[in-house]
Every structure is written in C-alpha cells, then in structure tokens.
Amino acid sequence: MPVQILHEWNAVTHVSEYEGDPRRRPLTYDEIQDLFDAADGRVEEIRKRGRKGVLTAMRDSALIKTYYAYGMRRRENVGLDLADLRRNPKAPQCKRHGAVFVRWGKSSKGSPPKRRTIFTVPEMDWIVEDLDHYLTEVRPRFNVGKHPAIWVTERCGRLSRRSANEAFEAAKQAASLPEELELHCLRHSCVTHLTEFDYPERFIQDQAGHGYASTTALYTGISDEYRNRLLHTSDTPESGRTRSDQEDGLPLEPAQAHGRPGHVPDQRPGAAAG
C-alpha cells in the first residue's frame, strides 16, 4: 500500500519567504504621500509640545523615505555606513548620493551577505536633499563622533531593525494607513513604481538584489492607472493600432506625461492638472 514518506519534520523548507503577503503590498501614490506627510508632521508636533525627540523624529522621517527611494530591506538600510554613499559620474547633481553600496544584502543557502550597488534614479532624486539635510544638520547633533553608521541613536549607537520598524509604525498610525501594513511594503512599493516608470526588468531586478526575475515579479503590483496608460500609449498613430471598440475607428490620443508632487513621483492621469 502507498506510504507517505515526506512529513513536516523531514520535508525541504522554503529558502525565501512568500512575498505575496497583504502586509507587504505596494502602497499607492496617495498612501506614500500620506505616510511621508505624517512622518514630517510628527516633527512639528513634537516641537510644538516642547518635548524631547525632535531629532529622532527627523531621523525617522529621512529613514522611511530612504527605504522607499532605494527599496532596501530592513537590515540593508540600518547597516549602511557613511562610506557606503557613492558618487555617480553620470549624475553629478546627486553629489555623494548618486548611489548606495549595500554590504548586508540577503544571503541564501548559508552563503555570506550579498553586496550590490543601488543607483539613485531621476524619479527618486528628491531623496538627495532629504539625505543631505539629515547628514549635515541632524546627524551631527547626535554627537556620535566618528561612528561609521548613517542611522544613529541618541545613545551614540547604530539604529536597530526594531527601531526602524517602530519608526514606520508610528508614521503609519499617524497617516491612518491599514494596520496590517509593515515596513517591507515600502520595498514592494519601490519595485512597483520603478516598473511603472518603464525601467527594464533586469535593471529593477539588480536594484532590488533579486537572484531571479520571478521574485521581482512577486513584488510588482502595478496600478490600473498604469495599465490604462500603457493601453492608450500603444494605440497611438505611430503604432498603427486603434481601439476596436471605437465607433469612429480613430486612434486614441497618447497618454500625457505627469509631474510628481512632493516626495511622490505621481503618474496618475490628470495629476499634473490638479
């Protein structure tokens, strides 16, 4: 008779966690903007109350924005040192924030941490000003001396992953975002938005540090607005295609390019006009 030979105690476990988790879903552009506004708002709220923690709130605001702009994992970001900031000769306007060298990438199958370089893309170049303000105005006031870490604490130590989670939770609650969301959703948001910016799949895969394109695909959750933009762009006169359901058979107008308000590179139809 057939006998089961594989059980929980002798079956092969998954090397990577399942990324299709609702707690890690990509945020919309509005949710990203609300999160950043809430993080900045905590700074003003603490300052008005005359309480301690203004520097911490300013650090947390820059930290959250960095997680989104570079799509880093928790350990990768808190493990950054000042020496990991790189200049990009192709983007001199970014100064020393043209790229970030990640030394603590996720390892697999017992291998050492993987290293990679994440470039600052033009759509996320607003992070340059935020990082520069933190490093020149905020971090020195922590009096950490020659400590190599970028993200430091009031006790002159390196920020922990737990503290990074707490910073996101505080901003999330202030922005009234869904309770189930966790910090890793900012990484999913970055990958999704890079896809909507029409970057090549291989470039996004390298930015995220994924070994397989299938993993990057799990991170991607493009919006209906982006799909509509692709549909309308493909129906331009240059492509020689028209929508079959149009009564007059004329080609549709191509989608317009949109700017980005605040910290969020917004590509929603009609956003620029609003």
Side-chain angles (χ1 to χ4, degrees), residues 34-55:
D34 290 343
L35 181 69
F36 290 171
D37 289 343
D40 293 337
R42 292 187 67 246
V43 177
E44 298 300 326
E45 179 183 357
I46 295 174
R47 180 181 288 122
K48 289 180 180 180
R49 293 183 179 182
R51 298 169 55 187
K52 295 182 179 179
V54 174
L55 292 179

Side-chain angles (χ1 to χ4, degrees), residues 12-78:
V12 177
T13 59
H14 291 285
V15 176
S16 301
E17 297 180 3
Y18 173 59
E19 294 294 347
D21 193 318
R23 295 173 299 178
R24 302 177 175 185
R25 68 165 176 82
L27 302 182
T28 65
Y29 294 113
D30 287 336
E31 288 175 329
I32 289 289
Q33 187 67 67
D34 290 343
L35 181 69
F36 290 171
D37 289 343
D40 293 337
R42 292 187 67 246
V43 177
E44 298 300 326
E45 179 183 357
I46 295 174
R47 180 181 288 122
K48 289 180 180 180
R49 293 183 179 182
R51 298 169 55 187
K52 295 182 179 179
V54 174
L55 292 179
T56 300
M58 296 176 71
R59 177 205 63 198
D60 292 346
S61 177
L63 176 72
I64 293 173
K65 296 170 185 176
T66 306
Y67 271 112
Y68 168 69
Y70 293 104
M72 287 184 286
R73 301 180 179 93
R74 276 169 290 194
R75 184 187 182 189
E76 293 174 349
N77 200 359
V78 298

Side-chain angles (χ1 to χ4, degrees), residues 21-25 168-169 172 177-182:
D21 193 318
R23 295 173 299 178
R24 302 177 175 185
R25 68 165 176 82
F168 174 78
E169 289 295 324
K172 180 185 70 176
L177 295 179
E179 186 65 27
E180 68 272 11
L181 293 176
E182 59 181 31

Side-chain angles (χ1 to χ4, degrees), residues 18 62 86 88 112 117 120 133 153 170 191 242 245 250-251 268 274:
Y18 173 59
R86 303 294 173 86
N88 185 354
T117 299
T120 303
H133 176 264
T153 66
V191 171
T242 59
D245 57 350
L250 297 176
R268 295 170 299 168

Side-chain angles (χ1 to χ4, degrees), residues 2-18:
V3 179
Q4 182 177 352
I5 60 175
L6 294 178
H7 305 274
E8 292 185 4
W9 53 271
N10 67 350
V12 177
T13 59
H14 291 285
V15 176
S16 301
E17 297 180 3
Y18 173 59

